[in-house]
Amino acid sequence: MNLHEYQGKEILAAQGVAVQRGIVAASADEAVAAAEQLTEETGTGWHVIKAQIHAGGRGKGGGVKLAKSLNDVRSKAEEIIGMMLITPQTPPSGKKVHQVLIAEDVYYPGESEPSEIYMSVLLDRQAGRNIIMYSPDGGMDIEEVAEKNPERIFKEEIDPKVGIQGFQARKVAFNLGLSGKAFKEMTRFVVKLYNAYEHIDASLFEINPVLKTSDDRVIAVDAKVTLDDNGLYRHPDYAELRDKREEDPMDVEAGEAGLNFVKLDGNVACMVNGAGLAMATMDIIKMAGGNPANFLDVGGTADAKRVETAFRLILKDPNVEAILVNIFGGIVRCDRVAQGIVDAYRNIGEIPVPIIVRLQGTNAEEAKTIIDESGLQVHSAILLQEAADKVQELLG
């Protein structure tokens, strides 16, 4: 589950990580009030107005602006709130901005020059360890750094059984070229950031930039936080932070129905029970000359209601030319699934694309009879090859 920047910063701050202070606002009036409060608390006269969407590259798209007065805060907040913000990580049409973060200006003059650092914490699945990835060249163009100067990207592996060690945090600070107060601040920051990652069951932290300020403080100026859905039962308060407005409506509908759904760009939709069977079905679609339009796992309880929801999701895709239903009847009997398909078909009404139904397992023959005698435009199969041949035939 992805979080907004302001939500991620609130969680990090609660775990002792130093962050840029800010207040979220959903209107220009709220933005001005937030700026006034920050001025009282921090003394800052300038503020940063930051669009809150689940995408990076907001600055390049015009979603991050500096305001030098309260009137500036109002005008820039009005510009950003309600805009369709387009970045390299949004759909072509962009994402609508519903709220902004009014943040303190931390790029103030001082004894030294501020510097921007890239830092992330994530799981290296191949090594079976967490890693801290970091670079002294943080900022908006970190992708270009990784492409043109990969030697400027450092990694530190952390054994999750042991946790981060002091020498590892010091190594990070040393590789970043820090010294004195900034060196000590960075070692503390790294330890607290990694411990926060483990404590909140995150799957990704990406802080770009981590800022070394002109007075050698180290703070998180941005925060991309992704939580592991499997750990949310331990953090019900975090689960409430989900913003469905930022998610694909089809994904939201599928999740609420208990479906595992991923939309793809093909022309043959598939509906299966089981992730392994889904992958095999996608392969057979490719072998038959089609392209999978989705990954859709209805799980082990493929009743009429769930099947109907799955059909409705599939039919929202205008690229779908055929639907392949591939169910293995183990715990759930094939005849019950077949009856669920027939009932769902009748509830939806006319379905404009051909449907191939392959049911194998318990009561597969009875299921085929139910499909064949339904009078509906549904093609039944028992063998996977039969289903593949039918897909090939219907696609011409």
Side-chain angles (χ1 to χ4, degrees):
M1 185 180 83
N2 293 321
L3 299 180
H4 287 294
E5 175 192 351
Y6 78 93
Q7 295 170 327
K9 282 181 174 177
E10 288 173 357
I11 290 176
L12 291 180
Q15 297 295 317
V17 180
V19 302
Q20 176 192 36
R21 286 170 289 185
I23 302 170
V24 70
S27 68
D29 287 341
E30 289 182 11
V32 172
E36 290 174 339
Q37 181 178 336
L38 282 173
T39 298
E40 291 179 4
E41 294 177 356
T42 68
T44 181
W46 292 5
H47 302 85
V48 185
I49 319 300
K50 310 177 81 173
Q52 297 299 284
I53 62 171
H54 289 175
R58 292 168 297 165
K60 292 181 179 180
V64 179
K65 297 181 181 293
L66 178 64
K68 299 181 180 180
S69 67
L70 291 180
N71 287 336
D72 218 8
V73 169
R74 179 179 295 278
S75 63
K76 286 181 166 56
E78 288 175 343
E79 289 176 20
I80 296 175
I81 296 173
M83 75 181 293
M84 293 299 292
L85 181 56
I86 300 174
T87 82
Q89 296 183 21
T90 65
S93 59
K95 282 191 170 185
K96 186 174 182 177
V97 179
H98 298 282
Q99 51 199 353
V100 292
L101 178 64
I102 311 302
E104 64 174 329
D105 175 34
V106 289
Y107 289 82
Y108 44 80
E111 296 180 359
S112 62
E113 285 295 318
S115 60
E116 295 183 334
I117 295 159
Y118 173 86
M119 188 168 294
S120 61
V121 187
L122 65 160
L123 172 65
D124 184 336
R125 296 184 183 278
Q126 186 172 0
R129 296 189 171 196
N130 296 319
I131 62 169
I132 298 175
M133 187 181 301
Y134 59 101
S135 172
D137 302 324
M140 290 195 295
D141 297 317
I142 187 63
E143 292 84 3
E144 187 175 334
V145 173
E147 181 181 351
K148 296 182 178 180
N149 304 102
E151 73 281 358
R152 300 283 288 174
I153 305 291
F154 299 92
K155 295 180 182 180
E156 186 66 29
E157 279 192 5
I158 312 294
D159 186 340
K161 297 190 297 293
V162 178
I164 188 168
Q165 301 298 294
F167 77 90
Q168 293 177 302
R170 291 191 292 273
K171 180 180 176 183
V172 171
F174 178 80
N175 285 339
L176 291 171
L178 301 178
S179 60
K181 176 185 175 183
F183 184 96
K184 295 177 181 178
E185 287 275 323
M186 179 57 72
T187 57
R188 282 195 290 267
F189 182 90
V190 171
V191 170
K192 288 184 179 295
L193 186 70
Y194 178 82
N195 289 338
Y197 172 84
E198 285 209 323
H199 185 265
I200 71 171
D201 291 315
S203 59
L204 172 69
F205 277 178
E206 187 175 48
I207 317 297
N208 186 29
V210 173
L211 180 69
K212 183 203 78 69
T213 65
S214 58
D215 54 358
D216 288 339
R217 293 191 300 136
V218 175
I219 60 174
V221 173
D222 195 5
K224 179 179 181 181
V225 174
T226 302
L227 301 177
D228 186 342
D229 292 347
N230 296 312
L232 286 178
Y233 74 95
R234 289 196 287 255
H235 308 280
D237 51 334
Y238 294 166
E240 295 176 0
L241 300 177
R242 181 183 179 190
D243 188 348
K244 294 181 181 179
R245 298 173 300 181
E246 292 293 314
E247 302 176 23
D248 188 311
M250 293 178 69
D251 292 338
V252 173
E253 184 178 351
E256 291 175 347
L259 303 171
N260 294 312
F261 175 81
V262 180
K263 187 181 179 304
L264 303 173
D265 297 326
N267 61 341
V268 181
C270 56
M271 184 193 309
V272 301
N273 63 333
L277 186 59
M279 300 303 290
T281 303
M282 294 166 71
D283 287 343
I284 204 71
I285 288 172
K286 289 288 289 184
M287 292 171 63
N291 286 302
N294 64 271
F295 172 103
L296 201 165
D297 176 10
V298 297
T301 55
D303 54 26
K305 184 177 180 180
R306 184 171 290 191
V307 170
E308 180 179 339
T309 302
F311 273 132
R312 291 188 185 278
L313 280 173
I314 287 169
L315 293 172
K316 289 180 180 180
D317 186 350
N319 297 322
V320 171
E321 299 176 9
I323 302 172
L324 173 57
V325 180
N326 189 11
I327 301 292
F328 177 77
I331 298 174
V332 58
R333 289 176 6 209
C334 288
D335 55 331
R336 288 188 178 178
V337 176
Q339 191 60 53
I341 292 170
V342 172
D343 292 345
Y345 195 118
R346 287 173 175 159
N347 288 338
I348 292 172
E350 184 178 354
I351 294 180
V353 296
I355 301 174
I356 306 103
V357 178
R358 182 256 179 176
L359 299 171
Q360 183 60 277
T362 307
N363 290 358
E365 293 288 348
E366 291 85 342
K368 187 176 187 305
T369 300
I370 291 172
I371 296 294
D372 292 342
E373 294 179 353
S374 67
L376 304 176
Q377 295 299 311
V378 178
H379 307 273
S380 65
I382 293 180
L383 299 178
L384 191 55
Q385 188 58 52
E386 287 181 63
D389 292 342
K390 183 59 68 174
V391 169
Q392 193 169 40
E393 176 188 334
L394 292 171
L395 292 177

